[in-house]
């Protein structure tokens, strides 16, 4: 077991490089608000035009926030306040967009207060007055059968809203599903600059975790590495959005089932020389999230590189990534991309499984689902949503490879952040193409 003193010294020594990339809280707040203002001014009008919704009403209450509203709050608001009602009104002819809050105060610098409680004590009536004055043709509300992130309005708020709305406007209520998804899934140019840094930090932390500085074969356990990852992130002033995992594949042990791999991994196994290690790790920074899976090999005595059969197996994983990402095409649904990629992989004698998901403001974000590990025939609903440009994904998949030298199958499990834009697909900041080596 690595001592606590050793860990403390280690954090100080090897956190220096990555910590230098992480902004202090006060500077982060400036960046978050800059990104948010850019999204409101440049992205939101385009999305409202694309979805033909001229008014978007987002209603939420403190500690029970709509997932969309959480992404719209300024840096200094960690939660909604009381009942927070936001109204976005798009006048395409005049090329204007109003960003209003039916609240007693502005919501940051981008959203202006439009309610004087002393003149009109009833918040709902104040909302209706805003609607009447603008006479929108479609009023988008966040409800959705398939996308939880676009289904943020609760029954109480929906009923209260509908009860005060004149019948004329009740008939104009539509689901804002595609507008909400578009808001969550679309990345701006400014966001991508910081997203690349976030991916670099993620890669750096994994590289440090899968090194001789942290792992001593015969002593260090998978739990030790997991908690190193958690502590490292905390010490850098960042957060993980899910608990990391570290697991082992080795010569004398059978390949676990997908259920065991994804939900019942053995804990606390001692890492030995000759092990193939795998981690699943993601962090949150500037309201963006990463999700990354990489592999490392623990060298045996006398080895200076991984055995060729593991090197080749890893290349198979990269090949499945290439097959998948070459099938990305704007307008294609997640299910269409999934089926075509699996077919091509199998026709080339691979044994792939693909479970790629949108990534960005949330880890498992909104947008086209491209398979789930237990739904390789397609995913109804979320898999039927099409691919749009300027969106990011966790390219998550695996391929099963028979290792004759071990007389068993192994699974190469990879996950990297990727971007789809007008110039096609690219990894946000590269991908793993070689096994990490631990001496």
């Amino acid at each position: 077991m690595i001592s606590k003193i050793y860990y403390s010294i280690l954090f100080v020594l090897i956190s220096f490089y990555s910590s230098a990339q992480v902004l202090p809280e006060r500077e982060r707040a400036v960046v978050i608000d800059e990104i948010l203002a850019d999204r409101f001014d440049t992205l939101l009008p385009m999305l409202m035009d694309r979805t033909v919704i001229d008014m978007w009403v987002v209603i939420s209450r403190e500690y029970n926030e709509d997932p969309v509203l959480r992404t719209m709050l300024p840096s200094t608001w960690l939660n909604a306040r009381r009942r927070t009602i936001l109204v976005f009104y798009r006048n395409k002819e005049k090329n204007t967009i109003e960003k209003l809050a039916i609240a007693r105060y502005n919501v940051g610098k981008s959203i202006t207060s439009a309610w004087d409680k002393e003149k009109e004590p009833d918040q709902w009536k104040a909302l209706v007055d805003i609607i009447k004055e603008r006479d929108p043709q479609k009023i988008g509300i966040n409800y959705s059968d398939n996308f939880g992130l676009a289904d943020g309005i609760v029954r109480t708020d929906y009923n209260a809203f509908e009860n005060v709305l004149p019948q004329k406007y009740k008939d104009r209520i539509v689901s804002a599903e595609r507008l909400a998804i578009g808001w969550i899934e679309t990345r701006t140019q400014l966001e991508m600059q910081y997203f690349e840094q976030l991916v670099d930090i993620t890669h750096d932390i994994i590289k440090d975790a899968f090194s001789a500085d942290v792992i001593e074969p015969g002593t260090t356990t998978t739990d030790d590495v997991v908690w190193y990852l958690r502590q490292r992130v905390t010490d850098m002033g960042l957060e993980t959005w899910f608990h990391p995992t570290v697991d082992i594949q080795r010569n004398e042990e059978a390949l676990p089932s997908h259920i065991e791999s994804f939900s019942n991994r053995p804990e606390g196994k001692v890492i030995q020389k000759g092990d193939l290690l795998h981690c699943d790790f993601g962090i949150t920074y500037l309201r963006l999230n990463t999700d990354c899976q990489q592999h490392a090999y623990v060298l045996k005595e006398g080895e200076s590189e991984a055995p060729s059969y593991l090197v080749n197996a890893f290349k198979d994983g990269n090949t499945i990534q290439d097959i998948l990402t070459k099938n990305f095409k704007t307008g294609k649904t997640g299910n269409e991309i999934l089926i075509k990629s699996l077919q091509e992989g199998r026709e080339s004698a691979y044994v792939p499984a693909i479970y790629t998901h949108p990534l960005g403001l949330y880890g498992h974000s909104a947008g086209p689902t491209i398979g789930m590990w237990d739904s390789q025939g397609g995913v109804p609903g979320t898999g039927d949503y099409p691919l749009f440009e300027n969106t990011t994904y966790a390219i998550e998949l695996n391929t099963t490879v028979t290792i004759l030298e071990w007389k068993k199958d192994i699974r190469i499990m990879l996950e990297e952040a990727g971007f789809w834009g007008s110039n096609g697909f690219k990894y946000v900041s590269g991908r793993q193409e070689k096994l990490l080596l631990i001496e």
Side-chain angles (χ1 to χ4, degrees):
M1 179 69 70
I2 300 178
S3 71
K4 292 182 179 179
I5 295 176
Y6 176 78
Y7 260 137
S8 298
I9 296 172
L10 188 60
F11 290 142
V12 173
L13 291 176
I14 65 180
S15 292
F16 176 77
Y17 173 70
S18 290
S19 295
Q21 303 175 60
V22 178
L23 295 173
E25 288 285 358
R26 190 170 185 174
E27 293 179 29
R28 288 188 221 182
V30 173
V31 171
I32 288 170
D33 290 340
E34 181 184 6
I35 289 173
L36 194 55
D38 179 51
R39 287 174 61 81
F40 280 135
D41 292 339
T42 61
L43 176 60
L44 185 56
M46 181 275 289
L47 293 174
M48 294 185 76
D49 292 347
R50 188 176 82 185
T51 55
V52 198
I53 292 176
D54 54 340
M55 180 172 282
W56 191 11
V57 179
V58 183
I59 308 171
S60 204
R61 282 178 289 170
E62 193 169 3
Y63 306 134
N64 192 27
E65 287 82 7
D66 180 324
V68 171
L69 183 134
R70 290 196 66 86
T71 71
M72 295 176 164
L73 298 177
S75 60
T76 54
W77 284 43
L78 305 185
N79 298 94
R81 296 178 183 173
R82 301 181 184 178
R83 176 178 276 110
T84 298
I85 302 177
L86 305 182
V87 176
F88 303 100
Y89 177 65
R90 169 66 169 160
N91 188 320
K92 189 175 181 180
E93 290 183 2
K94 295 181 180 179
N95 194 27
T96 60
I97 185 163
E98 290 184 275
K99 304 177 286 293
L100 307 173
I102 316 304
R104 304 198 70 181
Y105 24 68
N106 296 335
V107 180
K109 295 180 179 179
S110 294
I111 303 175
T112 305
S113 171
W115 179 34
D116 185 339
K117 189 175 181 180
E118 278 63 42
K119 291 183 179 179
E120 175 50 71
D122 189 330
Q123 187 182 24
W124 290 112
K125 187 175 185 305
L127 171 60
V128 171
D129 289 344
I130 291 288
I131 294 171
K132 287 180 177 178
E133 289 169 8
R134 287 150 183 81
D135 193 30
Q137 299 307 299
K138 287 187 179 180
I139 303 173
I141 301 294
N142 290 347
Y143 61 85
S144 169
D145 288 336
N146 296 313
F147 292 88
L149 291 175
D151 192 36
I153 191 166
V154 299
R155 180 175 179 176
T156 302
D157 286 335
Y158 185 86
N159 288 345
F161 179 49
E162 191 175 46
N163 287 340
V164 300
L165 203 60
Q167 185 61 50
K168 171 183 177 180
Y169 294 106
K170 288 181 185 178
D171 296 337
R172 300 182 187 182
I173 291 177
V174 298
S175 169
E177 177 186 85
R178 292 215 166 193
L179 176 53
I181 295 169
W183 171 261
I184 290 173
E185 74 171 344
T186 309
R187 303 276 67 78
T188 63
Q189 185 176 357
L190 181 59
E191 282 179 295
M192 290 309 300
Q193 294 175 22
Y194 292 102
F195 205 179
E196 183 174 342
Q197 294 177 21
L198 179 57
V199 174
D200 286 340
I201 294 169
T202 305
H203 288 166
D204 288 344
I205 296 173
I206 292 174
K207 185 177 180 180
D208 291 337
F210 279 165
S211 73
D213 290 325
V214 173
I215 294 174
E216 181 182 346
T219 301
T220 307
T221 69
T222 52
D223 276 356
D224 291 335
V225 183
V226 165
W227 286 106
Y228 167 82
L229 290 166
R230 283 291 300 270
Q231 190 64 52
R232 174 73 180 281
V233 171
T234 299
D235 289 353
M236 293 175 66
L238 302 175
E239 295 180 354
T240 54
W241 64 272
F242 66 94
H243 187 60
T245 60
V246 174
D247 55 89
I248 299 171
Q249 296 180 83
R250 55 172 56 129
N251 188 354
E252 62 270 18
E253 296 180 3
L255 179 68
S257 67
H258 274 92
I259 292 178
E260 181 177 341
S261 295
F262 287 99
S263 62
N264 297 308
R265 290 182 176 91
E267 297 180 353
K269 293 182 68 173
V270 176
I271 296 169
Q272 305 288 356
K273 292 181 181 295
D275 283 347
L276 178 64
L277 305 182
H278 163 264
C279 72
D280 192 352
F281 174 63
I283 61 177
T284 303
Y285 177 52
L286 300 175
R287 295 189 177 175
L288 295 169
N289 297 273
T290 60
D291 199 353
C292 187
Q293 295 181 46
Q294 294 195 348
H295 284 277
Y297 175 72
V298 187
L299 294 169
K300 293 180 180 180
E301 296 293 339
E303 288 184 326
S304 58
E305 57 186 28
S308 59
Y309 51 83
L310 292 183
V311 172
N312 292 333
F314 190 86
K315 289 179 180 178
D316 289 351
N318 284 156
T319 299
I320 299 302
Q321 289 176 320
D322 293 340
I323 290 173
L324 169 62
T325 58
K326 285 178 181 177
N327 282 319
F328 275 36
K329 184 177 181 180
T330 300
K332 291 290 185 182
T333 68
N335 287 334
E336 290 173 330
I337 296 169
L338 171 71
I339 298 305
K340 192 170 190 299
S341 300
L342 288 175
Q343 180 181 353
E344 291 179 2
R346 291 163 182 164
E347 287 176 350
S348 298
Y350 296 102
V351 186
I354 295 171
Y355 31 96
T356 286
H357 58 85
L359 182 69
L361 295 178
Y362 289 94
H364 292 153
S365 200
T369 299
I370 307 175
M372 293 183 176
W373 67 267
D374 55 353
S375 298
Q376 290 295 283
V379 182
T382 58
D384 296 318
Y385 185 84
L387 187 72
F388 284 97
E389 291 180 3
N390 301 318
T391 52
T392 44
Y393 301 86
I395 305 300
E396 185 178 12
L397 46 77
N398 73 60
T399 186
T400 301
V401 182
T402 299
I403 302 298
L404 298 178
E405 290 81 356
W406 286 5
K407 299 179 181 179
K408 57 169 283 187
D409 290 342
I410 66 167
R411 195 173 287 128
I412 300 297
M413 298 168 280
L414 299 175
E415 188 170 17
E416 294 285 1
F419 174 81
W420 176 252
S422 58
N423 294 323
F425 177 85
K426 68 175 183 179
Y427 286 98
V428 173
S429 189
R431 64 171 177 176
Q432 185 183 17
E433 296 185 335
K434 293 182 180 181
L435 291 167
L436 295 171
L437 300 178
I438 303 169
E439 296 182 2

